[in-house]
Amino acid sequence: MNEGTASENPESRFSLALVSAARFPGVRIHRETYLRKALARYCTEDEVRRAIEETPAAAGIPLDVLDKAANDSIRYETTKVSALSAAAGLPGVLALPATVPADIAQYFGHMLRIAQKLAYLYSWPDLFSDDGDDVDDATMGVLTLFFGVMFGTQSANAAVGKVAGMMAEQVAKKLPQKALTQGVVYPIVKKVAAYIGVQMTKQTFAKSVSKAIPVVGAAISGTLTFATYRPMAKRLKKHLSESELAKPAPQVVVVETEVVREPFVPKPA
């Protein structure tokens, strides 16, 4: 599909933006490194090891602990994306053609970062392989649904819950490829992508207006980003924390017992 057609098609516009953002340096989160750093403050070394080797749910880490780690990540990413958005607003109206696309791209990049972090905390599998810059169709599908949850679409909420249920039922360590690319979830993925593509156009216009005046525009742009990014991340956090995948597995406690043998005393005849 050529770029002209993609710009007219909301679904293609969103997909192109998502793939482009996923290729930016620093956007992809290394699952093991992130979980080790995020959980180290709240968990034992054994819990962290099990969370990495299996999942935080399988390690029995309570949801309130995962919520604390999630809030730490949301706070960090919100501060970072707001500062970058404000910086992009400084050049003013003459630089709009360059700054607005860059701002949208970095905003999407930080949405991808927080989506990965929250997914890993709430027991979703690794979303990106280490093989090059390509994004496979299943990952595209689930990321589109995550973005849909962040944008507040009910169909995305239901679809994410369905995918999580499939994985929890099968104790799967990979995304359900068929369901996300040609099964019952796929039509929802396409609808959500089209919806977000339309919203992107509206956001681009809003950001263009906010950047028209230097300095003042920077403050407005940073505030606008803060006001939208944090609630969207919180929305995804709430939804993922309530899914089947996030429920901690019951822990079996093995108690060693000592067998006491009484001396044998024969009964009198």
Side-chain angles (χ1 to χ4, degrees):
M1 180 180 294
N2 61 46
E3 293 184 7
T5 307
S7 64
E8 296 169 6
N9 184 335
E11 179 189 337
S12 300
R13 186 186 307 126
F14 166 72
S15 298
L16 183 61
L18 188 61
V19 170
S20 299
R23 290 173 176 166
F24 281 1
V27 165
R28 301 190 186 192
I29 303 298
H30 188 268
R31 179 180 175 275
E32 178 179 342
T33 303
Y34 169 69
L35 285 178
R36 186 173 297 283
K37 183 176 181 180
L39 297 176
R41 292 178 56 190
Y42 305 106
C43 303
T44 65
E45 180 58 33
D46 186 59
E47 288 174 327
V48 173
R49 178 186 58 77
R50 283 200 63 195
I52 292 169
E53 292 178 356
E54 300 176 58
T55 64
I61 300 175
L63 278 174
D64 64 325
V65 172
L66 297 178
D67 288 342
K68 289 177 183 177
N71 288 334
D72 291 343
S73 293
I74 290 173
R75 194 177 304 114
Y76 173 81
E77 294 295 337
T78 302
T79 302
K80 190 174 178 182
V81 72
S82 300
L84 289 172
S85 182
L90 286 173
V93 71
L94 294 179
L96 278 180
T99 58
V100 173
D103 194 23
I104 292 293
Q106 67 90 7
Y107 188 85
F108 262 44
H110 278 84
M111 287 180 69
L112 276 175
R113 282 176 58 86
I114 196 60
Q116 292 170 83
K117 289 183 174 183
L118 295 177
Y120 298 152
L121 282 174
Y122 294 114
S123 297
W124 287 72
D126 211 336
L127 298 177
F128 290 105
S129 68
D130 295 328
D131 303 331
D133 293 335
D134 291 338
V135 184
D136 66 49
D137 292 339
T139 296
M140 277 289 293
V142 82
L143 288 173
T144 298
L145 294 177
F146 285 170
F147 272 50
V149 172
M150 295 171 86
F151 274 90
T153 60
Q154 292 302 315
S155 58
N157 289 349
V160 169
K162 190 172 187 66
V163 173
M166 290 177 186
M167 296 180 64
E169 185 178 338
Q170 299 170 12
V171 197
K173 292 189 175 182
K174 289 187 177 181
L175 296 174
Q177 185 88 22
K178 187 174 180 180
L180 286 163
T181 57
Q182 52 184 295
V184 291
V185 179
Y186 182 59
I188 303 175
V189 172
K190 291 177 69 66
K191 286 178 62 177
V192 170
Y195 171 79
I196 300 176
V198 173
Q199 299 304 308
M200 282 173 57
T201 304
K202 295 178 180 178
Q203 285 201 7
T204 301
F205 175 75
K207 288 178 177 291
S208 297
V209 173
S210 72
K211 288 180 170 61
I213 306 173
V215 183
V216 175
I220 295 173
S221 181
T223 303
L224 179 65
T225 298
F226 182 88
T228 56
Y229 184 90
R230 186 172 180 274
M232 292 169 82
K234 288 282 190 180
R235 198 176 290 137
L236 181 60
K237 170 194 167 236
K238 181 177 185 300
H239 193 67
L240 294 182
S241 68
E242 294 172 350
S243 74
E244 288 295 318
L245 278 179
K247 294 180 180 177
Q251 300 297 295
V252 178
V253 179
V254 178
V255 180
E256 293 184 2
T257 59
E258 181 179 353
V259 178
V260 179
R261 299 183 182 276
E262 294 183 0
F264 175 73
V265 178
K267 294 182 180 181

